[in-house]
Amino acid sequence: MATVKVDNSNFQADVLGAKEPVVVDFWAEWCGPCKMIGPSLEEIAAELGDKIKIAKLNIDENPELAAQYGVRSIPTLMIFKGGEVADMKVGAAPKTALSHWINGAVA
């Protein structure tokens, strides 16, 4: 499964209402580290298929959601399970570290 874009209109249904765990990548177009981890997240999404959903939320287009979840720096990744934040990671990381962190949430 490829990454999906979420915003104010579909966050409730696609993230909080999802049956599977959801990784939300809070990012912005101008953020260099965000662009660095983008391809890794795409690859992880493809590798894990239906086990997890990886969603991208542009904080410039959705500042109220970023504020609601206390995002202070980007990239911030949050894993949602059952509509609740289960884990959070701030900053860029290599694909192996991201994959290990996300796989821990799926288990």
Side-chain angles (χ1 to χ4, degrees):
M1 176 189 295
T3 60
V4 295
K5 182 179 176 184
V6 292
D7 56 28
N8 287 327
S9 67
N10 64 355
F11 191 85
Q12 179 72 37
D14 288 1
V15 176
L16 302 181
K19 289 181 175 59
E20 70 277 316
V22 182
V23 176
V24 178
D25 174 17
F26 291 85
W27 72 286
E29 196 63 49
W30 47 264
C31 169
C34 299
K35 290 182 179 181
M36 284 176 22
I37 67 168
S40 296
L41 292 175
E42 290 286 346
E43 290 172 21
I44 293 166
E47 290 165 8
L48 292 177
D50 292 338
K51 290 184 197 163
I52 197 161
K53 182 189 297 183
I54 299 182
K56 299 179 73 62
L57 185 133
N58 186 317
I59 64 161
D60 287 337
E61 296 170 0
N62 304 279
E64 51 290 313
L65 278 170
Q68 180 180 339
Y69 287 99
V71 175
R72 291 193 174 86
S73 64
I74 52 173
T76 291
L77 301 169
M78 292 185 190
I79 297 177
F80 287 80
K81 286 184 174 179
E84 300 289 325
V85 177
D87 202 358
M88 181 172 90
K89 188 177 204 55
V90 178
K95 181 186 174 194
T96 52
L98 291 172
S99 187
H100 180 74
W101 179 68
I102 291 170
N103 276 312
V106 175

XYZ file of all heavy atoms in Angstrom:
799
model
N 0.846 -1.174 0.000
C 0.000 0.000 0.000
C 0.894 1.241 0.000
O 1.841 1.326 0.763
C -0.896 -0.022 1.256
C -1.742 1.213 1.404
S -2.611 1.329 3.001
C -3.705 -0.065 2.906
N 0.589 2.193 -0.842
C 1.353 3.440 -0.879
C 0.924 4.332 0.283
O -0.094 4.089 0.936
C 1.100 4.148 -2.203
N 1.716 5.361 0.534
C 1.320 6.303 1.576
C 0.073 7.047 1.111
O -0.167 7.194 -0.086
C 2.443 7.315 1.885
O 2.753 8.053 0.706
C 3.685 6.639 2.422
N -0.711 7.508 2.065
C -1.929 8.255 1.749
C -1.817 9.660 2.333
O -1.119 9.881 3.321
C -3.203 7.560 2.292
C -3.416 6.224 1.611
C -3.144 7.381 3.795
N -2.499 10.586 1.712
C -2.504 11.964 2.206
C -3.707 12.139 3.115
O -4.822 11.746 2.763
C -2.578 12.929 1.020
C -2.544 14.386 1.431
C -2.607 15.310 0.227
C -2.657 16.742 0.711
N -2.809 17.692 -0.379
N -3.478 12.714 4.293
C -4.593 13.016 5.189
C -4.613 14.509 5.489
O -3.585 15.182 5.429
C -4.541 12.199 6.511
C -4.777 10.731 6.251
C -3.245 12.401 7.262
N -5.809 15.001 5.791
C -5.991 16.404 6.145
C -7.199 16.511 7.066
O -7.713 15.501 7.547
C -6.142 17.274 4.884
C -7.285 16.819 3.987
O -8.266 16.229 4.498
O -7.224 17.050 2.770
N -7.640 17.729 7.304
C -8.777 17.936 8.214
C -10.016 17.149 7.809
O -10.762 16.675 8.660
C -9.151 19.430 8.265
C -8.140 20.231 9.050
O -7.553 19.733 9.998
N -7.927 21.466 8.646
N -10.215 16.997 6.505
C -11.452 16.376 6.025
C -11.498 14.863 6.224
O -12.571 14.290 6.378
C -11.678 16.709 4.543
O -10.689 16.085 3.743
N -10.334 14.190 6.217
C -10.363 12.721 6.310
C -9.564 12.143 7.478
O -9.453 10.937 7.602
C -9.898 12.098 4.984
C -8.452 12.413 4.657
O -7.776 13.160 5.342
N -7.977 11.840 3.566
N -9.009 12.990 8.347
C -8.192 12.515 9.461
C -8.996 11.602 10.382
O -8.532 10.540 10.776
C -7.617 13.707 10.243
C -6.560 13.319 11.236
C -5.236 13.177 10.852
C -6.878 13.099 12.567
C -4.250 12.823 11.759
C -5.908 12.743 13.492
C -4.588 12.602 13.075
N -10.205 12.015 10.714
C -11.070 11.233 11.615
C -11.291 9.822 11.064
O -11.087 8.833 11.762
C -12.411 11.957 11.798
C -13.400 11.222 12.687
C -13.030 11.237 14.169
O -12.518 12.232 14.666
N -13.277 10.135 14.846
N -11.685 9.726 9.805
C -11.996 8.423 9.210
C -10.746 7.607 8.916
O -10.674 6.420 9.247
C -12.802 8.617 7.922
N -9.740 8.221 8.294
C -8.581 7.479 7.813
C -7.534 7.174 8.884
O -6.749 6.237 8.732
C -7.905 8.229 6.662
C -8.722 8.179 5.382
O -9.819 7.582 5.398
O -8.274 8.730 4.361
N -7.482 7.971 9.947
C -6.485 7.739 11.001
C -7.159 7.240 12.271
O -6.916 6.131 12.726
C -5.659 9.020 11.283
C -4.690 8.783 12.440
C -4.898 9.455 10.036
N -8.026 8.064 12.846
C -8.637 7.704 14.127
C -9.592 6.525 14.004
O -9.723 5.728 14.934
C -9.365 8.919 14.718
C -8.490 10.167 14.939
C -9.305 11.291 15.540
C -7.282 9.853 15.799
N -10.234 6.368 12.854
C -11.184 5.277 12.664
C -10.617 4.044 11.989
O -11.342 3.085 11.719
N -9.320 4.041 11.713
C -8.704 2.919 10.991
C -8.635 1.670 11.871
O -8.415 1.758 13.071
C -7.305 3.299 10.530
N -8.825 0.518 11.234
C -8.715 -0.761 11.950
C -7.252 -1.109 12.201
O -6.907 -1.657 13.238
C -9.381 -1.861 11.132
C -10.896 -1.756 11.096
C -11.486 -2.891 10.278
C -12.987 -2.912 10.290
N -13.610 -1.706 9.781
N -6.391 -0.824 11.216
C -4.973 -1.129 11.339
C -4.230 0.035 11.992
O -4.738 1.150 12.035
C -4.361 -1.438 9.963
C -4.251 -0.246 9.025
C -5.536 0.074 8.267
O -6.192 -0.838 7.759
O -5.883 1.265 8.206
N -3.017 -0.213 12.519
C -2.215 0.903 13.026
C -1.917 1.886 11.893
O -1.775 1.480 10.736
C -0.924 0.233 13.504
C -1.252 -1.206 13.660
C -2.344 -1.498 12.672
N -1.819 3.169 12.222
C -1.539 4.199 11.223
C -0.345 5.031 11.686
O -0.328 5.525 12.807
C -2.755 5.149 11.018
C -2.454 6.184 9.931
C -4.008 4.368 10.674
N 0.647 5.144 10.807
C 1.776 6.045 11.056
C 1.436 7.351 10.349
O 1.179 7.364 9.149
C 3.099 5.478 10.477
C 4.229 6.485 10.671
C 3.435 4.156 11.118
N 1.400 8.453 11.106
C 1.165 9.760 10.503
C 2.474 10.525 10.493
O 3.104 10.721 11.530
C 0.078 10.555 11.254
C -0.112 11.934 10.615
C -1.243 9.800 11.265
N 2.874 10.930 9.286
C 4.080 11.721 9.086
C 3.655 13.184 9.004
O 3.046 13.608 8.029
C 4.767 11.277 7.790
C 5.957 12.133 7.397
O 6.482 12.874 8.264
O 6.367 12.062 6.221
N 3.929 13.947 10.066
C 3.670 15.384 10.057
C 4.871 16.033 9.370
O 5.994 15.951 9.873
C 3.524 15.911 11.494
C 2.281 15.439 12.188
C 2.254 14.217 12.841
C 1.132 16.219 12.201
C 1.106 13.773 13.495
C -0.022 15.783 12.853
C -0.039 14.568 13.492
N 4.650 16.678 8.221
C 5.737 17.180 7.398
C 5.349 18.518 6.770
O 4.212 18.974 6.905
C 6.082 16.174 6.299
C 5.027 16.109 5.236
C 3.786 15.529 5.334
C 5.085 16.687 3.937
N 3.081 15.705 4.174
C 3.852 16.414 3.292
C 6.062 17.401 3.253
C 3.578 16.833 1.998
C 5.778 17.809 1.957
C 4.546 17.519 1.343
N 6.310 19.130 6.048
C 6.055 20.342 5.272
C 6.949 20.326 4.035
O 8.026 19.718 4.039
C 6.324 21.590 6.097
N 6.497 21.008 3.000
C 7.210 21.058 1.720
C 8.631 21.612 1.872
O 9.557 21.166 1.209
C 6.414 21.924 0.740
C 6.806 21.774 -0.697
C 6.577 20.392 -1.260
O 5.485 19.831 -1.089
O 7.511 19.853 -1.884
N 8.839 22.568 2.749
C 10.129 23.245 2.918
C 11.095 22.494 3.829
O 12.225 22.925 4.026
C 9.903 24.655 3.475
C 8.964 24.687 4.641
C 7.621 24.947 4.615
C 9.272 24.406 6.016
N 7.078 24.859 5.873
C 8.071 24.528 6.765
C 10.437 24.066 6.700
C 8.006 24.316 8.143
C 10.377 23.861 8.071
C 9.170 24.001 8.772
N 10.673 21.381 4.382
C 11.468 20.648 5.374
C 12.390 19.630 4.699
O 11.927 18.620 4.175
C 10.507 19.965 6.355
S 11.269 18.768 7.449
N 13.697 19.887 4.752
C 14.671 18.984 4.144
C 14.654 17.577 4.724
O 14.575 16.591 3.982
N 14.733 17.435 6.060
C 14.687 16.092 6.644
C 13.391 15.339 6.308
O 13.412 14.117 6.165
C 14.810 16.345 8.150
C 15.533 17.658 8.248
C 15.049 18.460 7.072
N 12.283 16.079 6.161
C 11.012 15.436 5.787
C 11.134 14.805 4.402
O 10.662 13.689 4.168
C 9.874 16.458 5.772
S 9.556 17.252 7.356
N 11.774 15.526 3.502
C 11.955 15.008 2.143
C 12.902 13.816 2.131
O 12.758 12.920 1.315
C 12.479 16.109 1.222
C 11.446 17.189 0.943
C 11.992 18.229 -0.004
C 10.926 19.282 -0.287
N 11.407 20.303 -1.213
N 13.861 13.804 3.068
C 14.810 12.687 3.141
C 14.118 11.387 3.536
O 14.450 10.327 3.000
C 15.916 12.985 4.149
C 16.967 13.951 3.655
S 18.237 14.406 4.879
C 18.220 13.089 6.052
N 13.166 11.445 4.474
C 12.541 10.194 4.930
C 11.350 9.785 4.064
O 10.891 8.650 4.159
C 12.114 10.256 6.416
C 10.977 11.256 6.645
C 13.312 10.520 7.312
C 10.339 11.150 8.021
N 10.873 10.676 3.202
C 9.718 10.367 2.352
C 9.860 9.078 1.564
O 8.986 8.200 1.631
N 10.959 8.918 0.801
C 11.121 7.677 0.024
C 11.173 6.428 0.914
O 10.636 5.380 0.545
C 12.442 7.886 -0.721
C 12.595 9.378 -0.801
C 11.986 9.904 0.478
N 11.792 6.528 2.082
C 11.857 5.382 2.994
C 10.459 4.990 3.459
O 10.128 3.800 3.532
C 12.725 5.710 4.214
O 14.049 5.936 3.830
N 9.635 5.994 3.781
C 8.261 5.699 4.221
C 7.460 5.048 3.100
O 6.665 4.139 3.350
C 7.573 6.977 4.720
C 8.136 7.556 6.015
C 7.467 8.886 6.340
C 7.958 6.580 7.177
N 7.677 5.505 1.861
C 6.994 4.885 0.710
C 7.384 3.411 0.595
O 6.534 2.543 0.387
C 7.349 5.614 -0.599
C 6.770 6.998 -0.737
C 5.285 7.032 -1.022
O 4.687 5.987 -1.377
O 4.694 8.119 -0.881
N 8.682 3.121 0.742
C 9.160 1.743 0.638
C 8.598 0.879 1.767
O 8.171 -0.257 1.538
C 10.693 1.709 0.671
C 11.340 2.277 -0.566
C 12.856 2.410 -0.439
O 13.455 1.723 0.423
O 13.433 3.202 -1.203
N 8.588 1.415 2.986
C 8.057 0.668 4.126
C 6.571 0.392 3.929
O 6.092 -0.708 4.204
C 8.328 1.428 5.447
C 9.834 1.470 5.727
C 7.578 0.780 6.610
C 10.244 2.458 6.813
N 5.844 1.387 3.416
C 4.408 1.207 3.153
C 4.191 0.068 2.156
O 3.300 -0.767 2.331
C 3.794 2.507 2.632
N 5.018 0.013 1.124
C 4.897 -1.043 0.121
C 5.252 -2.405 0.714
O 4.592 -3.408 0.426
C 5.793 -0.731 -1.076
N 6.282 -2.445 1.559
C 6.726 -3.709 2.152
C 5.696 -4.283 3.124
O 5.492 -5.491 3.175
C 8.052 -3.502 2.890
C 9.226 -3.242 1.963
C 10.445 -2.675 2.681
O 10.447 -2.626 3.935
O 11.395 -2.263 1.986
N 5.062 -3.425 3.906
C 4.139 -3.905 4.942
C 2.712 -4.104 4.437
O 1.911 -4.753 5.102
C 4.141 -2.948 6.142
C 5.450 -2.927 6.927
C 5.387 -1.908 8.054
C 5.764 -4.304 7.497
N 2.397 -3.543 3.284
C 1.081 -3.760 2.697
C -0.058 -3.352 3.612
O -0.095 -2.240 4.126
N -0.976 -4.282 3.856
C -2.182 -3.983 4.627
C -1.991 -4.057 6.139
O -2.924 -3.814 6.886
C -3.314 -4.942 4.223
C -3.784 -4.690 2.803
O -3.570 -3.573 2.308
O -4.348 -5.611 2.188
N -0.792 -4.409 6.602
C -0.563 -4.518 8.048
C -0.609 -3.158 8.735
O -0.919 -3.069 9.916
C 0.801 -5.151 8.318
C 0.881 -6.603 7.962
C 2.241 -7.139 8.353
C 2.517 -8.449 7.657
N 3.932 -8.788 7.689
N -0.264 -2.117 7.989
C -0.204 -0.769 8.557
C -0.483 0.247 7.456
O -0.271 -0.042 6.279
C 1.184 -0.521 9.206
C 1.133 0.678 10.154
C 2.266 -0.355 8.168
C 2.276 0.694 11.147
N -0.977 1.393 7.850
C -1.211 2.477 6.904
C -0.225 3.588 7.243
O -0.015 3.894 8.413
C -2.644 3.001 7.045
C -3.008 4.103 6.068
C -4.359 4.743 6.391
C -5.506 3.766 6.286
N -6.818 4.400 6.539
N 0.405 4.154 6.216
C 1.289 5.294 6.433
C 0.662 6.504 5.755
O 0.411 6.491 4.547
C 2.720 5.021 5.919
C 3.313 3.822 6.687
C 3.591 6.269 6.076
C 4.730 3.468 6.339
N 0.397 7.519 6.574
C -0.290 8.713 6.095
C 0.608 9.925 6.256
O 1.387 10.020 7.204
C -1.583 8.915 6.887
N 0.494 10.855 5.317
C 1.282 12.086 5.365
C 0.333 13.260 5.586
O -0.663 13.389 4.901
C 2.070 12.258 4.066
C 3.057 11.112 3.832
C 3.830 11.237 2.563
C 4.884 12.296 2.561
N 5.964 12.133 3.522
N 0.684 14.110 6.573
C -0.133 15.275 6.890
C 0.734 16.530 6.783
O 1.714 16.674 7.521
C -0.720 15.157 8.291
C -1.676 16.291 8.650
C -2.944 15.729 9.260
C -1.042 17.283 9.573
N 0.407 17.400 5.839
C 1.149 18.639 5.628
C 0.740 19.645 6.701
O -0.413 20.057 6.759
C 0.861 19.182 4.225
C 1.713 20.379 3.881
O 1.913 21.278 4.703
N 2.205 20.404 2.655
N 1.698 20.023 7.566
C 1.357 20.906 8.689
C 1.047 22.331 8.238
O 0.343 23.053 8.936
C 2.447 20.919 9.778
C 3.758 21.500 9.256
C 2.649 19.518 10.353
C 4.692 21.953 10.350
N 1.564 22.743 7.088
C 1.249 24.088 6.592
C -0.204 24.174 6.139
O -0.834 25.215 6.264
C 2.179 24.475 5.439
C 3.598 24.773 5.919
O 3.759 25.114 7.109
O 4.530 24.655 5.101
N -0.729 23.071 5.624
C -2.125 23.039 5.157
C -3.093 22.677 6.280
O -4.290 22.910 6.161
C -2.256 22.023 4.010
C -1.464 22.401 2.772
C -1.408 21.298 1.738
O -1.993 20.214 1.957
O -0.759 21.509 0.697
N -2.596 22.092 7.360
C -3.437 21.628 8.470
C -2.831 22.012 9.817
O -2.548 21.141 10.648
C -3.605 20.105 8.391
C -4.158 19.660 7.054
O -5.353 19.718 6.830
N -3.280 19.247 6.159
N -2.632 23.306 10.071
C -1.952 23.712 11.301
C -2.712 23.349 12.578
O -2.106 23.090 13.617
C -1.819 25.237 11.158
C -2.865 25.622 10.170
C -3.001 24.449 9.245
N -4.036 23.267 12.494
C -4.804 22.951 13.699
C -4.594 21.503 14.141
O -4.535 21.221 15.334
C -6.295 23.282 13.541
C -6.976 22.730 12.318
C -6.554 23.362 10.989
O -6.480 24.588 10.860
O -6.296 22.574 10.065
N -4.436 20.581 13.202
C -4.163 19.183 13.573
C -2.760 19.065 14.162
O -2.552 18.344 15.141
C -4.308 18.253 12.369
C -5.735 17.825 12.039
C -5.790 17.113 10.698
C -6.309 16.943 13.133
N -1.793 19.777 13.588
C -0.435 19.756 14.133
C -0.444 20.304 15.558
O 0.181 19.730 16.458
C 0.498 20.569 13.238
N -1.172 21.379 15.785
C -1.254 21.970 17.126
C -1.969 21.037 18.093
O -1.551 20.878 19.249
C -1.967 23.318 17.061
N -3.037 20.407 17.624
C -3.820 19.496 18.468
C -2.950 18.360 19.008
O -3.122 17.924 20.142
C -4.985 18.929 17.655
C -5.867 17.977 18.427
C -7.018 17.432 17.562
O -7.390 18.014 16.560
N -7.554 16.302 17.965
N -2.006 17.893 18.193
C -1.150 16.780 18.611
C 0.225 17.253 19.111
O 1.124 16.442 19.314
C -1.025 15.757 17.479
C -2.311 14.990 17.329
C -3.249 15.326 16.359
C -2.632 13.974 18.219
C -4.455 14.657 16.253
C -3.835 13.291 18.128
C -4.741 13.638 17.149
O -5.935 12.972 17.067
N 0.377 18.547 19.328
C 1.586 19.069 19.947
C 2.838 18.962 19.106
O 3.939 18.854 19.648
N 2.688 19.012 17.787
C 3.850 18.921 16.907
C 4.633 20.235 16.981
O 4.101 21.291 16.644
C 3.422 18.622 15.450
C 4.622 18.647 14.517
C 2.716 17.269 15.384
N 5.879 20.157 17.437
C 6.704 21.356 17.586
C 7.840 21.402 16.571
O 8.357 22.464 16.271
C 7.277 21.436 18.999
C 6.195 21.716 20.015
C 6.808 22.107 21.344
N 5.766 22.507 22.281
C 5.078 21.693 23.056
N 5.290 20.393 22.972
N 4.175 22.149 23.888
N 8.269 20.243 16.104
C 9.294 20.207 15.069
C 8.965 19.062 14.121
O 8.252 18.131 14.485
C 10.686 20.051 15.683
O 10.800 18.825 16.348
N 9.476 19.175 12.912
C 9.185 18.157 11.910
C 10.488 17.646 11.319
O 11.490 18.361 11.346
C 8.233 18.704 10.811
C 8.772 20.003 10.222
C 6.839 18.874 11.341
C 7.997 20.512 9.032
N 10.491 16.422 10.808
C 9.355 15.501 10.791
C 9.034 14.931 12.174
O 9.933 14.640 12.948
C 9.808 14.383 9.850
C 11.314 14.395 9.957
C 11.695 15.841 10.193
N 7.747 14.823 12.444
C 7.261 14.109 13.616
C 6.417 12.957 13.101
O 5.523 13.162 12.272
C 6.415 15.017 14.528
O 7.262 15.991 15.135
C 5.732 14.208 15.629
N 6.701 11.759 13.570
C 5.938 10.569 13.188
C 5.190 10.081 14.417
O 5.771 9.956 15.490
C 6.868 9.465 12.689
C 7.735 9.806 11.474
C 8.782 8.739 11.259
C 6.876 9.952 10.241
N 3.902 9.826 14.251
C 3.099 9.283 15.342
C 2.417 8.015 14.867
O 1.910 7.964 13.749
C 2.027 10.282 15.784
C 2.581 11.499 16.450
S 1.262 12.551 17.079
C 2.223 13.998 17.499
N 2.409 7.012 15.740
C 1.692 5.772 15.443
C 0.377 5.814 16.212
O 0.375 5.975 17.436
C 2.508 4.528 15.835
C 3.792 4.463 14.996
C 1.674 3.252 15.649
C 4.709 3.303 15.349
N -0.713 5.699 15.484
C -2.047 5.675 16.076
C -2.566 4.245 16.067
O -2.482 3.557 15.054
C -3.015 6.553 15.264
C -2.785 8.025 15.427
C -1.772 8.670 14.728
C -3.595 8.780 16.267
C -1.557 10.035 14.870
C -3.393 10.146 16.415
C -2.373 10.776 15.717
N -3.073 3.812 17.212
C -3.727 2.505 17.326
C -5.057 2.736 18.017
O -5.093 3.333 19.101
C -2.882 1.538 18.163
C -1.655 1.003 17.488
C -0.979 0.002 18.397
C 0.188 -0.676 17.720
N 0.848 -1.631 18.617
N -6.128 2.288 17.399
C -7.447 2.446 17.997
C -7.811 3.899 18.260
O -8.481 4.197 19.237
N -7.347 4.797 17.405
C -7.684 6.206 17.536
C -6.838 6.974 18.540
O -7.056 8.159 18.760
N -5.856 6.309 19.153
C -5.006 6.955 20.157
C -3.546 6.931 19.705
O -3.115 6.013 19.010
C -5.102 6.207 21.495
C -6.489 6.155 22.098
C -6.944 7.509 22.620
O -6.094 8.270 23.129
O -8.147 7.805 22.514
N -2.767 7.921 20.138
C -1.342 7.940 19.839
C -0.668 6.866 20.692
O -0.737 6.896 21.916
C -0.715 9.323 20.137
C 0.794 9.285 19.892
C -1.363 10.403 19.291
N -0.039 5.899 20.025
C 0.628 4.801 20.724
C 2.125 5.058 20.881
O 2.737 4.594 21.832
C 0.403 3.490 19.974
N 2.702 5.796 19.939
C 4.135 6.087 20.001
C 4.424 7.284 19.114
O 3.634 7.615 18.218
C 4.948 4.873 19.539
C 6.387 4.895 20.064
O 6.770 5.865 20.763
O 7.134 3.950 19.768
N 5.572 7.923 19.371
C 5.949 9.106 18.607
C 7.457 9.134 18.416
O 8.200 8.697 19.292
C 5.490 10.361 19.365
C 5.798 11.646 18.650
S 5.023 13.052 19.476
C 6.321 13.484 20.610
N 7.873 9.628 17.264
C 9.301 9.767 16.949
C 9.479 11.125 16.278
O 8.742 11.466 15.361
C 9.695 8.625 16.000
C 11.167 8.511 15.717
C 11.364 7.277 14.823
C 12.738 6.695 14.906
N 13.226 6.339 16.212
N 10.451 11.902 16.760
C 10.708 13.224 16.192
C 12.066 13.212 15.518
O 13.047 12.730 16.084
C 10.664 14.319 17.286
C 10.980 15.682 16.695
C 9.315 14.329 17.978
N 12.114 13.739 14.292
C 13.367 13.838 13.552
C 13.522 12.752 12.508
O 12.833 11.740 12.534
N 14.424 13.011 11.588
C 14.693 12.052 10.517
C 15.516 10.886 11.052
O 16.262 11.039 12.018
C 15.434 12.738 9.374
N 15.352 9.745 10.431
C 16.114 8.554 10.792
C 16.318 7.731 9.525
O 15.546 7.849 8.572
C 15.351 7.736 11.838
N 17.354 6.887 9.497
C 17.540 6.023 8.329
C 16.399 5.018 8.203
O 15.703 4.724 9.186
C 18.871 5.320 8.589
C 19.260 5.634 9.988
C 18.388 6.723 10.499
N 16.238 4.500 7.010
C 15.139 3.567 6.749
C 15.153 2.387 7.708
O 14.097 1.968 8.190
C 15.188 3.067 5.299
C 14.042 2.116 5.004
C 14.120 1.487 3.640
C 13.017 0.447 3.507
N 13.197 -0.425 2.376
N 16.315 1.844 8.021
C 16.367 0.682 8.913
C 15.774 1.017 10.285
O 15.041 0.219 10.857
C 17.807 0.174 9.081
O 18.648 1.267 9.457
C 18.335 -0.447 7.800
N 16.091 2.208 10.801
C 15.564 2.612 12.109
C 14.060 2.848 12.035
O 13.313 2.437 12.937
C 16.274 3.874 12.596
N 13.602 3.485 10.966
C 12.162 3.723 10.795
C 11.417 2.395 10.677
O 10.370 2.201 11.288
C 11.898 4.578 9.551
C 12.350 6.030 9.607
C 12.193 6.684 8.235
C 11.580 6.799 10.663
N 11.965 1.501 9.880
C 11.336 0.203 9.669
C 11.245 -0.578 10.975
O 10.207 -1.168 11.293
C 12.130 -0.574 8.624
O 11.461 -1.756 8.279
N 12.314 -0.576 11.746
C 12.327 -1.279 13.042
C 11.274 -0.690 13.968
O 10.527 -1.429 14.633
C 13.724 -1.176 13.664
C 13.840 -1.852 14.982
N 13.887 -3.221 15.127
C 13.895 -1.360 16.240
C 13.963 -3.538 16.404
N 13.968 -2.426 17.114
N 11.197 0.640 14.032
C 10.224 1.323 14.903
C 8.787 0.999 14.476
O 7.950 0.653 15.303
C 10.496 2.830 14.858
C 9.573 3.656 15.682
C 9.488 3.684 17.039
C 8.593 4.592 15.221
N 8.524 4.585 17.442
C 7.968 5.148 16.340
C 8.204 5.001 13.945
C 6.957 6.101 16.248
C 7.213 5.962 13.834
C 6.598 6.498 14.982
N 8.520 1.071 13.179
C 7.165 0.810 12.664
C 6.804 -0.667 12.843
O 5.693 -0.999 13.236
C 7.064 1.256 11.188
C 7.130 2.784 11.114
C 5.772 0.734 10.554
C 7.288 3.354 9.709
N 7.752 -1.576 12.566
C 7.479 -3.014 12.742
C 7.159 -3.341 14.180
O 6.375 -4.250 14.463
C 8.661 -3.847 12.245
C 8.592 -4.072 10.753
O 7.560 -4.445 10.220
N 9.698 -3.818 10.069
N 7.749 -2.618 15.122
C 7.441 -2.814 16.520
C 5.985 -2.501 16.842
O 5.378 -3.124 17.706
N 5.421 -1.557 16.104
C 4.029 -1.181 16.305
C 3.068 -2.208 15.712
O 1.960 -2.390 16.202
C 3.753 0.185 15.679
N 3.511 -2.866 14.667
C 2.654 -3.840 13.987
C 2.551 -5.119 14.797
O 1.519 -5.765 14.839
C 3.199 -4.138 12.559
C 2.396 -5.240 11.901
C 3.181 -2.877 11.724
N 3.637 -5.463 15.483
C 3.711 -6.728 16.227
C 2.692 -6.778 17.360
O 2.282 -5.813 17.907
C 5.104 -6.923 16.779
